[in-house]
């Protein structure tokens, strides 16, 4: 599968702005628009509109930061050839059309690049004429398409009585152009609205490839929540002229009415193909859904380039909400509801949890993110959004209720007994500002909280008797050195002086806590400890 790479096409050294050797692969991207944006920013940073950094599409795999000198040499040769053919084509077309001004500009550009026109004609006349033929064919195709559109429009203007699809709609104006938002029953949406076929090359599509798995998840969401599912509007382009019949409603300024779309028009989805496919799959399982409707925003089809730009504008400007705030607002996730219930039982801890973002800002009053708390609970009890319904929710109601209470009880007891750790109580109360905690101690970082979850999970298994846990051994943690500079954490949650938030960092830190209480280590902890010992020898 092709990817988009940003390459340095020439060596550049600009001090603080960065230095790159010719042929350096700067970055890899899944979309052309993202890669182009990256190259534009780099060129502007180095004082150029373009030319130093360029986007290259390739099926090969290149690693960011690596230098591919031979590849770049070959690419530059091909790129220069392409430019020569392009400018020669421009000159030949200008000569043919008798456009002296256009001819003069093209010849000047050839001269600026240091090329000799006669040599270009001798070497590339055949390729240039092929390029002219290709451009002519595209212009002919465009002209034919415009003629068909005009014919459709004229036909529609002559008679409104012809058969058409009619939907209740609202019309509006964006960028000086009229558009419509229609309410389309799902059964008509499935039948009438198409999306580009997967086998069409990306440059000839106005959509991404259909991901059947994503469509199935949308269908399952609709089937699981038939009484309160929400699907955003779909965006589509219509290949024929539409007519709008306003309904006289006071204060509506002719914006409400009926939208008529010619029967022969093609309605191509620009954004929302997975929603449309998901709705189709849902209707197969639950036919009652076919009479419900989705909002569809309709624009007049202005060609592939315009549709592609529309897709890019819709998706590239969208900002995905953080995992944390999505978890807070999701009332369907039983595990998420349990975490919120747990924090409500511990208001002092809850006040120090960042609920909106996945990470805590350097100067924030908060200590840990909601996502870190979820990972902490997973390490402590083995519960997450996938296992929680099976372990707790799907059990008998009275048993499930007792299990929830027991999990909350143990967690509250754990946090109460963690106060024996030096500086812990002062950190929670805010006596030591959170930024100072992060700068000087390990206890205020996510890696340490998750490590506590792993360590405490081991402790509970050993010292739980019935429904009670013997927390008396936690007194041994009062001698723990929690300074970041302590050798106790070096190579574990601290690496080269910086906090090390990795799976091994969590396990290595948990191992130290287990050893402080004389607990046995898991196999994974032992492997990490052995590796650290070998590295230090």
């Amino acid at each position: 599968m092709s990817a988009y790479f940003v390459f340095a096409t020439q060596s550049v050294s600009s001090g603080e702005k960065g230095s790159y050797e010719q042929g350096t692969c700067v970055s890899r991207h899944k979309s052309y628009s993202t890669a182009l944006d990256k190259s534009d920013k780099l060129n502007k940073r180095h004082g150029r509109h373009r030319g130093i950094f360029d986007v290259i599409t390739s099926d090969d795999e290149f690693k960011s930061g690596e230098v591919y000198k031979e590849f770049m040499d070959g690419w530059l040769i091909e790129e220069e050839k392409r430019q020569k053919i392009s400018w020669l084509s421009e000159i030949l077309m200008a000569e043919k059309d008798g456009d002296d001004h256009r001819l003069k500009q093209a010849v000047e550009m050839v001269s600026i690049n240091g090329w000799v026109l006669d040599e270009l004609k001798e070497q590339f006349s055949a390729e240039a004429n092929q390029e002219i033929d290709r451009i002519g064919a595209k212009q002919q195709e465009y002209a034919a398409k415009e003629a068909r559109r005009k014919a459709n429009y004229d036909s529609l203007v002559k008679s409104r009585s012809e058969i058409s699809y009619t939907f209740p709609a609202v019309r509006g104006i964006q960028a000086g152009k009229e558009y419509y938002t229609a309410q389309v029953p799902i059964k008509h949406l499935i039948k009438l609205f198409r999306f580009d076929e997967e086998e069409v090359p990306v440059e000839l599509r106005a959509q991404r490839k259909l991901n059947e798995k994503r469509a199935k998840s949308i269908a399952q969401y609709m089937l699981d929540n038939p009484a309160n599912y929400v699907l955003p509007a779909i965006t589509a382009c219509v290949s024929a002229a539409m007519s709008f019949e306003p309904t006289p409603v006071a204060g509506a300024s002719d914006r409400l009415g009926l939208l008529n779309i010619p029967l022969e028009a093609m309605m191509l989805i620009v954004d929302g193909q997975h929603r449309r496919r998901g709705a189709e799959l849902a209707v197969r399982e639950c036919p009652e859904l076919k009479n419900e409707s989705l909002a569809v925003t309709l624009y007049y089809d202005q060609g592939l380039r315009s549709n592609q730009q529309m897709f890019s504008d819709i998706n590239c400007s969208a900002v995905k909400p953080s995992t944390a705030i999505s978890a807070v607002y999701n009332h369907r996730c039983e595990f998420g509801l349990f975490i919120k219930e747990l924090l409500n039982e511990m208001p002092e801890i809850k006040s120090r949890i960042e609920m909106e973002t996945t990470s805590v800002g350097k100067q924030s009053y908060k200590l840990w993110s909601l996502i870190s708390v979820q990972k902490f609970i997973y390490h402590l009890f083995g519960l997450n959004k996938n296992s929680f319904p099976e372990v707790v929710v799907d059990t008998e109601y009275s048993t499930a209720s007792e299990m929830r209470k027991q999990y909350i009880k143990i967690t509250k007891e754990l946090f109460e007994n963690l106060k024996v750790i030096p500086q812990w109580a002062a950190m929670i109360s805010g006596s030591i500002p959170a930024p100072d905690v992060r700068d000087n101690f390990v206890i205020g970082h996510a890696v340490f909280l998750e490590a506590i979850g792993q360590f405490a999970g081991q402790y509970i298994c050993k010292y739980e008797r019935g429904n009670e846990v013997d927390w008396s051994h936690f007194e041994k943690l009062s001698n723990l050195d929690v300074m970041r500079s302590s050798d106790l954490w070096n190579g574990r949650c601290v690496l080269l002086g910086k906090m090390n938030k990795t799976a091994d960092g969590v396990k290595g830190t948990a191992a130290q806590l287990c050893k402080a209480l004389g607990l046995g280590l898991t196999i994974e902890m032992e492997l990490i400890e052995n590796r650290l010992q070998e590295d230090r020898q």
Side-chain angles (χ1 to χ4, degrees):
M1 184 177 178
S2 296
Y4 304 94
F5 301 91
V6 176
F7 270 88
T9 62
Q10 54 185 277
S11 297
V12 59
S13 178
S14 302
E16 295 181 357
K17 297 179 181 179
S19 299
Y20 299 90
E21 187 177 343
Q22 185 183 55
T24 300
C25 177
V26 179
S27 57
R28 181 186 188 280
H29 306 272
K30 292 182 179 180
S31 71
Y32 177 77
S33 59
T34 307
L36 185 62
D37 183 58
K38 174 73 172 180
S39 67
D40 287 344
K41 288 180 180 178
L42 286 169
N43 280 314
K44 289 177 182 177
R45 185 187 302 170
H46 290 275
R48 294 280 292 273
H49 178 64
R50 59 178 307 174
I52 299 177
F53 300 92
D54 212 331
V55 178
I56 296 177
T57 306
S58 178
D59 294 328
D60 295 331
E61 278 298 326
F62 299 106
K63 293 183 179 180
S64 298
E66 295 290 326
V67 178
Y68 299 90
K69 188 68 170 60
E70 291 184 6
F71 170 80
M72 181 51 60
D73 289 342
W75 184 85
L76 288 172
I77 291 172
E78 289 299 318
E79 179 65 11
E80 183 179 23
K81 178 181 176 181
R82 187 193 66 78
Q83 291 184 16
K84 287 178 177 179
I85 293 172
S86 177
W87 283 112
L88 181 57
S89 301
E90 182 74 7
I91 289 171
L92 295 179
M93 285 190 289
E95 289 176 344
K96 182 179 178 181
D97 297 338
D99 190 336
D100 294 336
H101 178 69
R102 182 177 163 196
L103 176 61
K104 181 180 178 181
Q105 287 184 323
V107 171
E108 286 179 356
M109 185 57 65
V110 167
S111 178
I112 289 172
N113 280 289
W115 304 326
V116 178
L117 181 56
D118 290 339
E119 292 179 357
L120 291 186
K121 289 183 177 181
E122 182 179 345
Q123 294 177 16
F124 302 113
S125 287
E127 291 93 335
N129 283 312
Q130 289 177 357
E131 178 69 8
I132 292 171
D133 290 342
R134 188 186 67 81
I135 294 172
K138 289 189 69 173
Q139 290 174 339
Q140 186 64 44
E141 181 183 355
Y142 177 79
K145 191 173 183 179
E146 287 298 303
R148 287 195 298 272
R149 286 178 179 168
K150 188 175 186 307
N152 286 336
Y153 179 78
D154 292 343
S155 176
L156 194 62
V157 170
K158 288 179 182 178
S159 176
R160 296 282 181 86
S161 63
E162 294 180 359
I163 299 175
S164 63
Y165 301 111
T166 302
F167 304 106
V170 179
R171 68 175 172 182
I173 296 175
Q174 284 185 359
K177 302 180 183 66
E178 197 168 60
Y179 74 101
Y180 311 92
T181 300
Q183 304 302 315
V184 182
I186 292 178
K187 59 184 178 183
H188 295 319
L189 180 77
I190 295 169
K191 180 180 179 181
L192 303 177
F193 288 81
R194 298 175 48 200
F195 46 81
D196 291 323
E197 288 76 15
E198 184 175 345
E199 61 271 10
V200 176
V202 62
E203 65 272 14
L204 300 180
R205 285 190 270 118
Q207 255 289 9
R208 71 190 88 189
K209 287 182 180 180
L210 180 72
N211 185 327
E212 194 70 19
K213 183 178 179 180
R214 183 180 174 197
K216 288 179 179 178
S217 68
I218 293 174
Q220 194 60 51
Y221 160 72
M222 295 175 67
L223 295 170
D224 290 343
N225 306 280
N228 57 2
Y229 71 87
V230 178
L231 290 182
I234 288 171
T235 302
C237 288
V238 180
S239 64
M242 299 169 279
S243 66
F244 185 80
E245 298 176 6
T247 300
V249 177
S253 303
D254 290 340
R255 291 193 297 269
L256 302 178
L258 297 176
L259 179 65
N260 299 291
I261 301 176
L263 195 65
E264 72 276 10
M266 184 174 71
M267 289 167 266
L268 185 66
I269 294 175
V270 174
D271 182 70
Q273 61 172 354
H274 292 96
R275 276 162 270 161
R276 176 247 182 253
R277 175 62 173 163
E280 179 181 4
L281 296 174
V283 166
R284 291 181 186 178
E285 298 292 328
C286 181
E288 293 82 3
L289 291 171
K290 68 181 180 181
N291 292 317
E292 299 194 4
S293 61
L294 265 68
V296 181
T297 303
L298 297 157
Y299 295 84
Y300 180 67
D301 192 338
Q302 298 186 56
L304 178 62
R305 182 184 178 90
S306 176
N307 294 350
Q308 289 176 336
Q309 188 62 55
M310 189 184 300
F311 174 85
S312 177
D313 291 345
I314 292 171
N315 289 281
C316 291
S317 60
V319 178
K320 186 178 180 180
S322 72
T323 307
I325 199 169
S326 294
V328 172
Y329 292 166
N330 187 354
H331 298 281
R332 292 195 178 95
C333 176
E334 289 291 343
F335 179 64
L337 293 174
F338 167 73
I339 294 294
K340 285 183 277 189
E341 180 184 353
L342 171 66
L343 290 176
N344 286 336
E345 291 285 331
M346 302 187 297
E348 188 177 34
I349 299 298
K350 182 181 179 180
S351 67
R352 311 307 302 276
I353 304 302
E354 174 56 66
M355 307 288 277
E356 288 202 37
T357 59
T358 54
S359 60
V360 179
K362 186 176 181 180
Q363 299 302 318
S364 174
Y365 168 79
K366 308 293 184 179
L367 292 170
W368 307 292
S369 73
L370 181 64
I371 305 306
S372 295
V373 174
Q374 291 180 340
K375 292 179 179 178
F376 160 75
I377 292 297
Y378 173 71
H379 291 307
L380 183 61
F381 298 122
L383 298 175
N384 58 23
K385 67 178 181 180
N386 296 321
S387 64
F388 190 82
E390 182 179 342
V391 174
V392 180
V393 178
D394 293 341
T395 57
E396 185 180 339
Y397 176 76
S398 59
T399 305
S401 178
E402 289 302 317
M403 291 176 70
R404 295 173 79 102
K405 290 179 181 178
Q406 182 65 7
Y407 286 135
I408 291 173
K409 175 177 177 293
I410 291 175
T411 307
K412 290 174 67 176
E413 290 177 355
L414 170 59
F415 273 97
E416 186 64 27
N417 283 278
L418 288 173
K419 290 180 179 179
V420 301
I421 296 176
Q423 310 302 336
W424 183 274
M427 172 185 72
I428 297 298
S429 67
S431 298
I432 305 176
D436 291 347
V437 173
R438 285 188 283 272
D439 286 343
N440 300 300
F441 307 108
V442 296
I443 54 176
H445 292 268
V447 60
F448 195 83
L449 181 66
E450 290 182 37
I452 287 176
Q454 283 195 7
F455 144 73
Q458 292 283 99
Y459 184 88
I460 290 169
C461 291
K462 184 173 181 179
Y463 291 104
E464 186 176 17
R465 301 291 183 269
N467 291 328
E468 299 299 324
V469 178
D470 178 9
W471 300 102
S472 61
H473 299 276
F474 264 49
E475 284 296 330
K476 297 178 182 178
L477 296 177
S478 61
N479 297 319
L480 204 63
D481 186 349
V482 296
M483 297 295 293
R484 282 180 61 166
S485 57
S486 171
D487 189 57
L488 196 64
W489 315 113
N490 187 33
R492 296 173 176 85
C493 61
V494 178
L495 195 62
L496 301 177
K498 296 183 179 180
M499 296 306 298
N500 177 34
K501 176 62 172 67
T502 62
D504 284 355
V506 172
K507 293 169 188 172
T509 305
Q512 291 293 63
L513 294 171
C514 286
K515 286 191 288 185
L517 266 66
L519 293 177
L521 305 184
T522 65
I523 295 175
E524 291 180 328
M525 290 179 187
E526 287 182 349
L527 289 173
I528 291 171
E529 288 298 298
N530 291 337
R531 187 166 67 246
L532 283 171
Q533 293 300 325
E534 291 175 358
D535 291 343
R536 292 183 178 185
Q537 289 178 358

